[in-house]
Amino acid sequence: MRYNLAFIGFGSVGRALARLLLDRSHELQSERDITWRLTGVATRRLGWRVATEGFDVEALLESDRAALAAPAETDIASWLTATKAGVLFEMSSLNAHTGQPAIAHIEAALEHGAHAVTANKGPIVHGYRHLRDLAAARGKGFRFESAVMDGAPIFSLFRECLPLAHVTGFEGILNSTTNFLLEAMESGSGLEDAVRKAQAMGLAETDPAADVDGFDAAVKVAAIVSVIMDVPIGLQDVARRGIREIDATEVRAARAAGTPYKLMCRAVRAGDGVVATVAPERVAADSPFALVGGTSSVVHFHTDILPGLTITEHTPTPTTTAYGILADFIGLVSGSGRGI
Amino acid sequence: MRYNLAFIGFGSVGRALARLLLDRSHELQSERDITWRLTGVATRRLGWRVATEGFDVEALLESDRAALAAPAETDIASWLTATKAGVLFEMSSLNAHTGQPAIAHIEAALEHGAHAVTANKGPIVHGYRHLRDLAAARGKGFRFESAVMDGAPIFSLFRECLPLAHVTGFEGILNSTTNFLLEAMESGSGLEDAVRKAQAMGLAETDPAADVDGFDAAVKVAAIVSVIMDVPIGLQDVARRGIREIDATEVRAARAAGTPYKLMCRAVRAGDGVVATVAPERVAADSPFALVGGTSSVVHFHTDILPGLTITEHTPTPTTTAYGILADFIGLVSGSGRGI
């Protein structure tokens, strides 16, 4: 079956997704009976561009001019109509504190009658139940595998592979940038110097608070708790301390003592609720967390049925994130699972 | 929908599955619309027992007499007919070198028109393609999640969550008994003494060669390669060295040097084939394998799309294995995924 695809956002993840769709188009057709064309691309700079017969994606990856030559709509609703989008890929820049404008984009897509896939965690924390219920009411899907741990399957794992398993708690390292920052501090940098290095490498956010003050980690904790533990919590419900609270001397001393600091995320069910925290912790050298460094991340789940299951993702790239989005798309249109 | 279930094998895993089905029957009904009755139980000692209206499973767990009171058939075909089984759970004792009698049981179930779920790895190594194709021809499912790493999702992970991802290789610790044996040797035991301890704890097979000579690990490697890498290899295609080849002095010295021995499983794609090995190796203290001990196991996958994904399962029990079987059953009858 053929799908009209629409992208909001065409940065590193959007471009990696376009490349992946091109590279895997033969397989998509032969193994999944999926063909596609990209009928809409929207970014802040390009506006709402439409190509009813499909953009030349190679040309688009080459240069934005290919998009600028296409007609533009003035708002998302008319753009979705003009693109006849079957699936919206929401990859806009996010305000993690409000979930906007991603939530409005996803609402518009579902109202229009398209599936919505996002790489943004904000919509989960600020709008999960609303968007899930809206998708169900419209008979469409809403997926977000890449919002946490890039392309590693976390949400789909519980949805598809672990029926009836109830998560009683989890712990992990969900913000990998702090691995890099702590390692730089262990090697002699101060925090600010480490942040500059991370920014130069494209690892850290422009606003370092997302990493350094634990906001990114806390949003991911809230997302996992809201979806997998089915307890709706917000960012304010996660007790949050960032690595800004420890200085480089402490960081070096902890490493020298064999119990390095990590920005640990934790959640545990307590009655009807969940106690959720983000904080720098010294971890034992023989914990599964001590070895997770660089851009890698890890989460260890406790469930009422599997004593313990750990998922570790190693050195992701924008293609890894794009793959999570592609997997969501394939899952949605293959009709696997029960929807979410 | 209601399913007639038939068990071959009623040892620790079969009993754990029966307990799990009882404990989760309310959830199965409310969340999945699945109700069930156990219409057949077969073991070497009981023969082919039938209860067309369903056994009293609590009574069965209490005492075998509940089964002995039921009528018995003389062979699997008439037993399947009498039980009107919709799903066969194959949990018999296995000859891993031939895959029998499990393969014959699964064939009979599929021919009868039932789904087949097994906890045995032999049928995968000795009959995967044949059984997969037979299941497809009969419009039934054949699943085996528990065959490797108990209830941890490995096969379903790739089937349901990682579309289009091709595994280029993997490494891991798939036989956890050797963790225990090596740890006992590190603590001063000789190999034979360690094996006796493991047997006393119910960890080791009666025939220690399965663990000590690497047969169990090699069968699991062959199963993952055959299914997930889609390269049909047999036990003889896995270059196999067991921990029998190293003595306790070496094991202790390696641990003292911070690079302990583990029975490592490895496979890597090479042209159209796969190079697969099982061997004791000294692993670096900062490898993800050094920390996996006791009854835990781990596998690290390399794919053409995710740089690295590690799954670690901690301290499984017979209930963990039974859960893998239950998850297969739920997946099959929920019609999720594309079948296998």
Side-chain angles (χ1 to χ4, degrees), chain B:
Chain B
M1 199 166 152
R2 186 169 71 179
Y3 297 89
N4 286 346
L5 311 183
F7 282 23
I8 299 183
F10 205 64
S12 62
V13 171
R15 298 173 71 86
L17 178 60
R19 171 55 58 201
L20 202 49
L21 283 162
L22 279 180
D23 289 351
R24 301 294 180 128
S25 61
H26 178 73
E27 258 182 290
L28 278 167
Q29 179 155 24
S30 63
E31 293 188 16
R32 301 283 175 153
D33 192 28
I34 294 171
T35 60
W36 59 276
R37 51 188 187 180
L38 180 60
T39 57
V41 173
T43 71
R44 213 168 290 165
R45 200 164 48 77
L46 294 170
W48 304 98
R49 299 285 164 172
V50 178
T52 52
E53 297 303 311
F55 283 99
D56 177 339
V57 179
E58 286 285 9
L60 210 58
L61 285 165
E62 196 83 10
S63 154
D64 281 353
R65 270 177 304 177
L68 286 167
E73 293 290 334
T74 53
D75 59 72
I76 186 169
S78 55
W79 177 73
L80 286 164
T81 302
T83 60
K84 297 190 173 69
V87 187
L88 173 73
F89 296 100
E90 210 294 326
M91 303 171 287
S92 65
S93 304
L94 176 76
N95 181 335
H97 294 273
T98 64
Q100 295 294 6
I103 291 174
H105 295 156
I106 294 163
E107 284 172 337
L110 295 170
E111 298 282 5
H112 163 77
H115 297 302
V117 179
T118 185
N120 275 323
K121 44 205 173 291
I124 321 306
V125 177
H126 299 283
Y128 171 59
R129 292 197 167 196
H130 160 64
L131 294 169
R132 176 193 68 182
D133 295 345
L134 179 61
R138 301 285 163 168
K140 294 293 159 186
F142 165 49
R143 297 261 169 112
F144 40 77
E145 190 57 71
S146 295
V148 175
M149 285 179 75
D150 314 287
I154 300 297
F155 298 113
S156 63
L157 183 76
F158 281 90
R159 191 180 61 234
E160 307 291 345
C161 303
L162 297 171
L164 307 194
H166 302 119
V167 170
T168 53
F170 64 86
E171 57 261 356
I173 300 170
L174 297 173
N175 174 280
S176 61
T177 305
T178 50
N179 288 334
F180 177 91
L181 298 175
L182 290 166
E183 285 161 21
M185 289 161 80
E186 288 165 0
S187 304
S189 296
L191 177 61
E192 283 178 26
D193 187 31
V195 167
R196 271 191 300 271
K197 282 180 190 160
Q199 283 171 336
M201 292 174 69
L203 295 176
E205 307 289 328
T206 317
D207 174 10
D211 300 313
V212 170
D213 294 322
F215 284 109
D216 176 74
V219 169
K220 288 169 174 167
V221 168
I224 295 179
V225 169
S226 298
V227 177
I228 296 182
M229 300 181 76
D230 201 25
V231 176
I233 67 169
L235 186 51
Q236 73 288 351
D237 300 315
V238 182
R240 180 183 44 75
R241 289 176 47 226
I243 63 168
R244 198 192 294 278
E245 303 192 12
I246 43 176
D247 71 22
T249 315
E250 287 177 88
V251 171
R252 278 190 286 278
R255 169 61 72 180
T259 51
Y261 272 105
K262 293 287 180 184
L263 186 65
M264 289 296 300
C265 300
R266 294 184 183 273
V268 62
R269 210 177 273 281
D272 291 341
V274 165
V275 176
T277 58
V278 169
E281 289 181 25
R282 292 173 69 159
V283 299
D286 64 350
S287 93
F289 309 112
L291 304 183
V292 175
T295 56
S296 299
S297 53
V298 60
V299 62
H300 175 75
F301 289 103
H302 306 265
T303 84
D304 61 345
I305 207 158
L306 288 174
L309 188 67
T310 313
I311 314 293
T312 313
E313 183 189 45
H314 302 263
T315 55
T317 66
T319 300
T320 317
T321 305
Y323 174 68
I325 299 172
L326 179 67
D328 276 343
F329 166 48
I330 294 171
L332 277 174
V333 303
S334 304
S336 87
R338 298 169 300 147
I340 200 162

Side-chain angles (χ1 to χ4, degrees), chain A residues 152-184:
Chain A
I154 300 297
F155 299 113
S156 63
L157 183 76
F158 282 90
R159 191 181 62 235
E160 307 291 347
C161 302
L162 297 171
L164 307 194
H166 302 117
V167 171
T168 53
F170 63 87
E171 57 261 359
I173 300 171
L174 296 173
N175 175 279
S176 60
T177 305
T178 50
N179 288 333
F180 177 90
L181 298 175
L182 290 166
E183 286 161 21

